[in-house]
């Protein structure tokens, strides 16, 4: 199995092409009827129609010595993830699809090619013969099962712009539609480790302004900045579904990654790996601070799981830093977004709506 996986990945990567034009960069990952997915500078010139690819520059085959454990995943599980990625490459699926497929298999089977499961479910994706996915023997073949998953995914209109959990649910029709989101960090880690890909793994549709800024998420503004009923609300709430990728608003260095969720009844730790409560919890939940040039700081609160980034890490505008949730002082899924001019304190907070409009990346769009 390992030899076949390595061979396919090497073949798929051999044809990789990446467009790059100075600071006005457009990354296009076409794929089998899926349309295009772009991270573009707003003033970028049109890309040449002759250049597109399924895999980004930097992608490569795993260690020729074999596929071993990665993080919490053992060699068998990583080997199955490698097969899923290989099939995606072979079919020309954009890298975002590899992450969705691996995360789905993590939720459905823990990346174990099971002979059975709930009712008549079989294999990595727990697909059911009774629902027309294939015969039991076919569904126990990881290559076949992954192919069927991708075939269905590519029929979903706009899947690359969806939160991972929504795209996966369009394919799987699970009784637990939010369950896939928590696996995005691990799936991204495995895909990156197996291929070396570091771009194209997040949700598409990111546009960076001429000033170097982009919206952290595309969502309506709910609670505003320091309103009469919430005078200490130092940011704005951007309303998006749970599991929506959160993007770094501009290039900078991650300065904080914390869990901040306190049980107001006891003063003890509420925890960030579960939803918070608007009455019983205070704090930002899982959150990230990024320091930008000129003393600007941005903050991204209430993330679903531990953020994808770490303190000291450099990020570019549009990089995915985590996914939206409802941890901490929160009444439902959203991203609380702050902008500070000078330091991390409340004294330097400014209205993000006004600031983002001034840098060419208006919110509420």
């Amino acid at each position: 199995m390992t030899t076949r996986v390595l061979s396919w990945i090497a073949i798929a990567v051999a044809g990789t092409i990446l467009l790059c034009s100075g600071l006005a960069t457009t990354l296009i990952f076409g794929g089998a009827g899926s349309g295009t997915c772009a991270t573009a500078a707003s003033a970028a010139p049109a890309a040449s129609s002759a250049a597109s690819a399924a895999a980004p520059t930097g992608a490569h085959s795993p260690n020729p010595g074999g596929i071993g454990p990665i993080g919490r995943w053992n060699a068998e599980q990583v080997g199955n993830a490698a097969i899923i990625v290989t099939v995606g490459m072979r079919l020309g699926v954009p890298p975002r699809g590899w992450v969705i497929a691996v995360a789905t298999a993590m939720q459905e089977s823990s990346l174990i090619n099971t002979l059975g499961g709930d009712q008549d479910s079989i294999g990595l994706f727990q697909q059911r013969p009774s629902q027309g996915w294939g015969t039991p023997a076919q569904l126990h073949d990881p290559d076949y099962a992954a192919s069927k998953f991708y075939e269905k995914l590519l029929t979903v209109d706009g899947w690359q712009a969806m939160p991972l959990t929504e795209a996966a649910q369009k394919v799987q029709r699970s009784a637990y539609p939010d369950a896939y989101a928590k696996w995005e960090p691990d799936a991204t880690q495995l895909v990156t480790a197996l291929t070396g890909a570091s771009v194209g793994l997040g949700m598409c549709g990111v546009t960076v302004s001429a000033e170097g800024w982009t919206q952290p998420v595309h969502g309506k503004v709910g609670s505003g900045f320091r309103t009469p009923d919430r005078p200490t609300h130092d940011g704005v709430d951007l309303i998006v579904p749970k599991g929506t990728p959160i993007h770094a608003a501009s290039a900078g260095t991650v300065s904080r990654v914390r869990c901040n969720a306190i049980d107001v009844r006891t003063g003890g730790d509420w925890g960030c790996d579960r939803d918070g409560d608007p009455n019983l919890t205070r704090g930002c939940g899982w959150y990230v601070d990024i320091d930008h040039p000129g003393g600007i700081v941005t903050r991204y609160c209430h993330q679903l799981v531990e953020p994808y980034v770490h303190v000291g890490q450099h990020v570019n505008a549009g990089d995915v830093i985590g996914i939206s949730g409802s941890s901490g002082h929160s009444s439902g899924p959203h991203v609380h977004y702050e902008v500070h001019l000078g330091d991390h304190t409340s004294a330097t907070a400014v209205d993000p709506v006004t600031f983002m409009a001034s840098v060419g990346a208006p919110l509420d769009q």
Side-chain angles (χ1 to χ4, degrees), residues 163-180:
L164 182 147
T165 196
E166 183 178 341
Q169 174 65 1
K170 292 285 187 181
V171 178
Q172 296 294 106
R173 303 295 182 185
S174 169
Y176 305 97
D178 294 329
Y180 303 106

Side-chain angles (χ1 to χ4, degrees), residues 194-214:
L194 288 167
T195 69
S198 59
V199 294
L201 303 181
M203 186 174 70
C204 70
V206 176
T207 300
V208 180
S209 72
E211 292 88 349
W213 289 78
T214 190

Side-chain angles (χ1 to χ4, degrees), residues 13 34 58 61 65 91 101 137 139 157 180 188 200-202 208 227 250 314 317 330 347:
V13 172
S34 62
S61 64
L91 296 177
L139 297 179
D157 186 36
Y180 303 106
T188 302
L201 303 181
V208 180
T227 57
S250 189
H314 175 80
S330 174

Side-chain angles (χ1 to χ4, degrees), residues 100-151:
I100 294 171
V102 171
T104 300
M106 287 174 170
Q107 169 61 27
E108 298 292 353
S109 68
S110 295
L111 289 172
I112 300 297
N113 188 26
T114 61
L115 285 169
D118 181 53
Q119 300 184 57
D120 60 336
S121 301
I122 295 171
L124 292 175
F125 295 91
Q126 291 293 279
Q127 295 149 327
R128 298 175 60 187
S130 62
Q131 294 182 343
W133 285 99
T135 68
Q138 287 173 324
L139 297 179
H140 195 245
D141 175 2
D143 191 292
Y144 176 91
S147 296
K148 297 301 288 185
F149 178 88
Y150 286 125
E151 287 173 11

Side-chain angles (χ1 to χ4, degrees), residues 11-326:
I11 291 169
V13 172
T16 295
I17 300 173
L18 178 66
L19 289 181
C20 185
S21 177
L23 294 178
T25 301
T26 302
L27 304 176
I28 300 178
F29 304 108
S34 62
T36 59
C37 177
T39 301
S42 58
S48 166
S49 61
S52 65
T57 288
H60 57 75
S61 64
N63 187 329
I67 297 175
I70 296 175
R72 75 176 81 180
W73 307 96
N74 65 32
E76 177 186 0
Q77 293 167 309
V78 173
N80 285 325
I83 292 175
I84 293 169
V85 172
T86 298
V87 172
M89 286 182 168
R90 189 179 71 218
L91 296 177
V93 178
R96 175 65 174 165
W98 313 343
V99 174
I100 294 171
V102 171
T104 300
M106 287 174 170
Q107 169 61 27
E108 298 292 353
S109 68
S110 295
L111 289 172
I112 300 297
N113 188 26
T114 61
L115 285 169
D118 181 53
Q119 300 184 57
D120 60 336
S121 301
I122 295 171
L124 292 175
F125 295 91
Q126 291 293 279
Q127 295 149 327
R128 298 175 60 187
S130 62
Q131 294 182 343
W133 285 99
T135 68
Q138 287 173 324
L139 297 179
H140 195 245
D141 175 2
D143 191 292
Y144 176 91
S147 296
K148 297 301 288 185
F149 178 88
Y150 286 125
E151 287 173 11
K152 179 64 175 177
L153 178 67
L154 294 176
T155 68
V156 177
D157 186 36
W159 66 267
Q160 288 178 264
M162 294 177 181
L164 182 147
T165 196
E166 183 178 341
Q169 174 65 1
K170 292 285 187 181
V171 178
Q172 296 294 106
R173 303 295 182 185
S174 169
Y176 305 97
D178 294 329
Y180 303 106
K182 65 178 177 287
W183 298 111
E184 185 163 0
D186 278 32
T188 302
Q189 178 193 26
L190 286 194
V191 171
T192 300
L194 288 167
T195 69
S198 59
V199 294
L201 303 181
M203 186 174 70
C204 70
V206 176
T207 300
V208 180
S209 72
E211 292 88 349
W213 289 78
T214 190
Q215 296 91 347
V217 292
H218 291 283
K220 292 292 184 181
V221 173
S223 184
F225 178 77
R226 293 180 180 172
T227 57
D229 58 330
R230 299 186 70 186
T232 62
H233 193 235
D234 289 338
V236 295
D237 292 344
L238 303 174
I239 309 304
V240 291
K242 185 178 289 187
T244 300
I246 303 169
H247 303 272
S250 189
T253 301
V254 176
S255 53
R256 286 183 182 173
V257 176
R258 291 182 182 172
C259 167
N260 177 24
I262 304 300
D263 189 326
V264 299
R265 298 165 298 183
T266 66
D269 183 26
W270 175 278
C272 291
D273 292 323
R274 60 171 175 152
D275 287 350
D277 185 278
N279 300 313
L280 302 179
T281 318
R282 60 180 172 85
C284 236
W286 279 121
Y287 79 97
V288 169
D289 283 1
I290 300 175
D291 291 0
H292 308 278
I296 300 170
V297 177
T298 55
R299 179 169 295 165
Y300 314 76
C301 297
H302 307 308
Q303 297 189 33
L304 180 65
V305 295
E306 184 174 357
Y308 299 174
V309 292
H310 57 81
V311 172
Q313 179 178 340
H314 175 80
V315 294
N316 295 312
D319 283 354
V320 177
I321 61 173
I323 53 178
S324 62
S326 191

